[in-house]
Every structure is written in C-alpha cells, then in structure tokens.
Amino acid sequence: PPAPATPDTVTSDTDRTCVVCMVEPRDCLFLPCAHAAACVRCANAAVAQGNGCPVCRAAVAKVQPFVWS
C-alpha cells in the first residue's frame, strides 16, 4: 500500500483534502502517529468521540495544527 500522507509527502492539492469531510484542507497531524489526514475541525471531533487516527486507528494523544508551506 502507498505510504500515508504527511506534510512532507503530499504532492498535489487533492492529496491535501480532509479524508473525513472531503471539503476542507488537511491542516493538522494526529500524534503520535503523525498522519496528516484531516482538517482540525474533523480531527477534534474524532478525538472528542474517542476515535483514533482515521488512517491507522491509533490512539490520538494530541491534534497538532500546521500550515502548509
């Protein structure tokens, strides 16, 4: 399978779309797995509901926002 998207591996705008809402750009990391899969709104909602990372289902200790360069 392909490697998960992280800020260093995303190569196109479509790669930057949140995998949850499919509308907003991905703008945070799930820590400690460091997957960049969702927008902050969806990430915080997932954590509040007790869900793990949408990529690997690992427990999330923190949602870390970032800005694309």
Side-chain angles (χ1 to χ4, degrees):
T6 66
D8 295 330
T9 62
V10 172
T11 58
S12 73
D13 287 342
T14 56
D15 288 341
R16 292 184 180 189
T17 303
C18 172
V19 301
V20 179
C21 68
M22 302 300 290
V23 175
E24 299 296 325
R26 300 175 188 196
D27 58 3
C28 64
L29 297 172
F30 290 92
L31 299 177
C33 68
H35 286 122
C39 64
V40 169
R41 180 186 297 164
C42 290
N44 287 331
V47 171
Q49 294 172 1
N51 296 329
C53 170
V55 175
C56 67
R57 300 293 181 209
V60 177
K62 181 178 179 181
V63 173
Q64 178 66 52
F66 68 83
V67 177
W68 291 98
S69 57

